[in-house]
Amino acid sequence: MAENGVRSRVKCRIGFVGTGGVATRHARFVATFDDAEIVAVIDLDHDRAATFAHAHGGRAVPDVAALIDAGVDAVYVCVPPYAHGEAERALADAGVALFVEKPLALDVPTAQQISDRIAAAGVVSRVGHHWRCAEPVRGARDLLAGRTVRQVSGYWLDKVPPVPWWTDRARSGGPLVEQAVHVLDLARVLVGEVDEVYALSAGPPQGGTTDVATSGVLRFACGAVGTVSTTCALAGKLRAGLEIVADGLVVGIGEDRLHVGDGISTRRRRFDPAIARRAADREFLDAVRGDGSPPAPLGLPDHAEALRSHRLACALATSVGTRVPEEAR
């Protein structure tokens, strides 16, 4: 388990809770690190866990207790929104470092309970807001330094993801919580905290309860105003990101792109998103191995910091239901 001995150990012992597509992405990057090895994995679908272990290493075990008994130093928790809670609490109590994929939970109380448990245990935690590690975000932060931000426009324009739980809001939390939290986290990093939100939805698609489209208004503490919009009505992912208007400048940011304009000309650059994703896994492993540095503003957030973005996303989702403005902090 993740104690001082990890620093001197040749390989950090990694486990997985959940072995779906996101877990597979992390496992592929972990495989490129010569100081880490996957030793045990669990999934509600044991056959899927066994297939994952065969492909990436380790062995499939029946439950979290067996994962802990396997001597893991760190665990990736890659489960749907409704499944967060029990695993994180048990692993934190056992002294295991945690990489938790977003969103943190369906709601704020569950995420807060997990965060409190992690803090009490004193274990390393990071949350999968890997956009913070992307070069476009670093470039945008430099460009906006010293400028007054006036307006923020966020968007996630996509299809229905190919997982059975996503169209059930009671299991996914809806698009603002499950997807747009990436964009909202980026808005907090580049512009600052949001005080108040108000959101509406266009209703669920046929056969589901998740909103097919949402639009929200945000009031930032710095005085800027913003919007965020989502849809799952398309045949594929069109784009996701932010446009930030500051005095004399507009900066557009996505996981893989940066564009800068002044109303007359625009400069555009493209980036490989795999670089930031790999960097996020490397940053987590370094923290587990005893780097000792607190999370950087443009590095992966720990659980307590990510909770602020989760709270913002949940405030928007709540406003969709209440149809009144909601406090975001």
Side-chain angles (χ1 to χ4, degrees):
M1 290 178 286
E3 301 292 346
N4 293 335
V6 180
R7 185 175 307 185
S8 58
R9 187 176 295 164
V10 174
K11 289 185 180 288
C12 184
R13 296 170 62 83
I14 303 294
F16 277 83
V17 176
T19 56
V22 174
T24 297
R25 187 189 80 202
H26 287 299
R28 288 172 177 163
F29 288 127
V30 168
T32 68
F33 304 142
D34 60 8
D35 58 349
E37 61 178 338
I38 298 170
V39 297
V41 304
I42 62 171
D43 195 289
L44 290 177
D45 184 337
H46 187 75
D47 289 340
R48 183 167 68 176
T51 299
F52 182 96
H54 179 75
H56 304 291
R59 59 190 176 92
V61 297
D63 51 32
V64 172
L67 199 69
I68 294 168
D69 288 343
V72 290
D73 300 307
V75 167
Y76 284 82
V77 181
C78 303
V79 298
Y82 65 88
H84 285 284
E86 183 178 346
E88 290 99 320
R89 290 191 291 268
L91 290 162
D93 287 350
V96 177
L98 291 169
F99 186 111
V100 181
E101 264 302 341
K102 44 59 63 183
L104 299 182
L106 280 174
D107 54 31
V108 172
T110 302
Q112 183 69 65
Q113 290 168 6
I114 297 168
S115 199
D116 291 344
R117 200 73 154 257
I118 289 171
V123 298
V124 169
S125 69
R126 296 292 186 271
V127 173
H129 286 299
H130 64 272
W131 286 23
R132 293 191 183 207
C133 303
E135 189 60 32
V137 179
R138 298 179 187 277
R141 191 175 178 100
D142 291 343
L143 288 164
L144 292 168
R147 294 179 183 266
T148 299
V149 173
R150 304 295 184 179
Q151 188 178 57
V152 181
S153 301
Y155 42 84
W156 194 290
L157 312 179
D158 206 343
K159 65 178 181 179
V160 174
V163 287
W165 47 264
W166 197 86
T167 56
D168 180 359
R169 189 194 297 178
R171 294 197 292 166
S172 70
L176 289 163
V177 173
E178 206 282 321
Q179 292 176 319
V181 69
H182 265 312
V183 175
L184 295 167
D185 183 70
L186 202 59
R188 286 187 54 248
V189 168
L190 295 175
V191 182
E193 301 297 344
V194 177
D195 285 337
E196 187 178 44
V197 299
Y198 174 63
L200 296 171
S201 76
Q206 185 175 3
T209 57
T210 293
D211 307 303
V212 70
T214 63
S215 288
V217 179
L218 301 87
R219 180 169 59 82
F220 287 82
C222 67
V225 294
T227 61
V228 60
S229 296
T230 73
T231 187
C232 59
L234 305 179
K237 187 175 182 179
L238 178 63
R239 66 178 184 270
L242 283 178
E243 283 195 341
I244 300 174
V245 178
D247 289 344
L249 191 71
V250 59
V251 180
I253 316 105
E255 181 186 8
D256 60 350
R257 70 188 185 282
L258 175 67
H259 68 257
V260 185
D262 59 5
I264 298 174
S265 63
T266 301
R267 307 187 307 276
R268 302 178 186 273
R269 290 186 62 191
R270 302 291 296 192
F271 300 84
D272 180 359
I275 295 174
R277 294 176 180 185
R278 185 181 188 278
D281 286 318
R282 183 66 252 178
E283 183 181 313
F284 173 57
L285 185 59
D286 287 344
V288 174
R289 294 190 65 88
D291 177 296
S293 301
L298 292 187
L300 286 179
D302 62 16
H303 201 279
E305 162 62 13
L307 180 57
R308 296 184 176 96
S309 296
H310 183 69
R311 194 180 300 277
L312 171 57
C314 287
L316 282 157
T318 298
S319 183
V320 167
T322 61
R323 298 198 173 194
V324 297
E326 297 285 340
E327 292 185 4
R329 292 201 273 175

